[in-house]
Amino acid sequence: MIKVSSIKQHMYCPMKLYLKTHVDASETKDYQLAIEIKKLKIDIQDLIQKNMRKVKKEMVLSEIENVLSENIDPYIKSTSNAIKSMNIGLEASQINEIIDDAYFNIKIIALKTKQAMTILDKHAFEIIDMFFPNCMYSYLIKDQSLGVIGMCDKIEIVDGKYYPVLLKSGTPPVKGVWDSDAIELVANAILIEEEFRNDVYVGFVDYEKIRDRRPVVMDVDLRKAYFNILREVKEIIDNKKKPNVKKSPRKCEKCEYKEIC
């Protein structure tokens, strides 16, 4: 089975995928750390959602922020300690960034919640679906016909329609989304269509650093591009085809395989 993560890696550098697959097949600590941080951020979002059910329409903004913040600090600290015990390189600066992101998000949600409660004259638990639609996190899907397996960061379900969502912590482009993010998103969309027998017309990339959600239309051109890349990935993984790539000083300098590439 081809992993969606392999397709994403091919988008970054086909040679890195080749070396990782046929020279060093072990998972890197950086990849493991990224997965654990993503899980932590998802859990924080779930805590905020649970806390939101306690918010009343008569509360002032500072009270709402305090309620939404309940148990956030202890959970981040305990989970961070658990990640540290795995020896995968979680640094204090990364923990601080997670905490800052969480409280910045709480301030935004508190403000939006207060405005919505005032306008609609309802308590938060009555309007929680406006902020947290029904969704599934870290959902594993296999497509036997295509031979692809992937873990969807988030699938939102609205009025019976399924919307894949990527959660990205990196710096976004000025407009739109990165090509690699679009390909990863359409890969997830096609997996969702096969799993739930439900057409997917649009997905979203959440660039967490700037709190911006950007839509991606699952059109014919994007789907064709995905299948072309999927064929290339299968050639590299299954047939050990060595790709021809142009060197990129920016990428190559950071690559763990630069000494053997």
Side-chain angles (χ1 to χ4, degrees):
M1 299 288 282
I2 302 296
K3 297 179 181 178
V4 171
S5 59
S6 296
I7 297 169
K8 181 170 62 174
Q9 199 162 63
H10 176 277
M11 289 292 295
Y12 184 81
C13 176
M15 182 59 76
K16 185 173 182 178
L17 174 62
Y18 175 85
L19 293 171
K20 184 177 179 62
T21 304
H22 302 298
V23 178
D24 177 13
S26 63
E27 292 287 346
T28 64
K29 287 187 176 182
D30 286 346
Y31 179 75
Q32 294 176 47
L33 179 59
I35 293 296
E36 294 302 323
I37 289 176
K38 186 168 286 188
K39 287 179 183 177
L40 174 55
K41 289 183 177 181
I42 289 170
D43 289 343
I44 292 170
Q45 196 75 354
D46 282 344
L47 268 178
I48 295 172
Q49 181 177 352
K50 290 176 182 177
N51 290 340
M52 188 174 175
R53 298 183 183 279
K54 308 172 191 174
V55 174
K56 305 297 182 182
K57 60 185 178 182
E58 60 271 12
M59 289 181 175
V60 299
L61 191 58
S62 59
E63 289 179 294
I64 295 172
E65 288 184 20
N66 288 336
V67 171
L68 294 179
S69 302
E70 286 179 9
N71 299 316
I72 297 294
D73 268 350
Y75 185 79
I76 292 176
K77 289 176 182 176
S78 63
T79 306
S80 298
N81 289 334
I83 295 174
K84 283 181 181 178
S85 69
M86 299 168 67
N87 294 320
I88 53 176
L90 181 65
E91 298 178 358
S93 60
Q94 291 172 302
I95 297 172
N96 290 334
E97 184 178 345
I98 292 169
I99 293 172
D100 290 344
D101 285 348
Y103 282 97
F104 181 69
N105 191 31
I106 285 169
K107 285 183 178 295
I108 293 174
I109 293 174
L111 181 59
K112 290 182 176 179
T113 303
K114 180 60 178 177
Q115 289 175 330
M117 290 190 300
T118 300
I119 293 170
L120 300 173
D121 192 28
K122 293 181 181 292
H123 296 299
F125 74 87
E126 298 176 280
I127 58 172
I128 198 167
D129 287 345
M130 291 176 60
F131 303 94
F132 300 97
N134 185 25
C135 61
M136 298 178 286
Y137 287 105
S138 301
Y139 193 86
L140 183 67
I141 308 179
K142 297 180 182 179
D143 185 341
Q144 298 293 347
S145 61
L146 284 177
V148 177
I149 182 171
M151 182 83 74
C152 299
D153 288 345
K154 185 178 181 182
I155 304 172
E156 293 186 356
I157 307 168
V158 181
D159 296 332
K161 296 295 182 182
Y162 291 72
Y163 301 91
V165 181
L166 294 185
L167 308 176
K168 295 295 180 180
S169 58
T171 303
V174 176
K175 293 182 180 180
V177 304
W178 298 117
D179 289 344
S180 58
D181 292 341
I183 292 297
E184 183 182 357
L185 195 60
V186 76
N188 287 336
I190 291 171
L191 286 171
I192 290 169
E193 289 178 335
E194 179 66 22
E195 176 82 359
F196 299 105
R197 303 298 177 186
N198 198 311
D199 291 335
V200 177
Y201 300 105
V202 66
F204 302 94
V205 181
D206 284 358
Y207 289 110
E208 297 174 329
K209 186 171 284 188
I210 61 170
R211 300 293 169 190
D212 191 21
R213 168 168 287 194
R214 299 185 179 180
V216 178
V217 177
M218 304 290 109
D219 61 16
V220 173
D221 290 339
L222 184 57
R223 290 171 186 263
K224 284 182 178 178
Y226 163 67
F227 284 115
N228 287 336
I229 291 167
L230 181 59
R231 280 192 290 271
E232 293 175 10
V233 170
K234 287 184 176 181
E235 283 289 308
I236 292 172
I237 293 178
D238 296 340
N239 300 328
K240 297 185 178 181
K241 182 179 178 180
K242 195 171 183 179
N244 294 317
V245 297
K246 293 181 179 179
K247 288 186 177 180
S248 167
R250 180 179 61 84
K251 291 182 180 180
C252 295
E253 185 58 34
K254 298 177 181 178
C255 182
E256 64 267 35
Y257 300 113
K258 65 181 179 180
E259 300 300 330
I260 61 173
C261 180

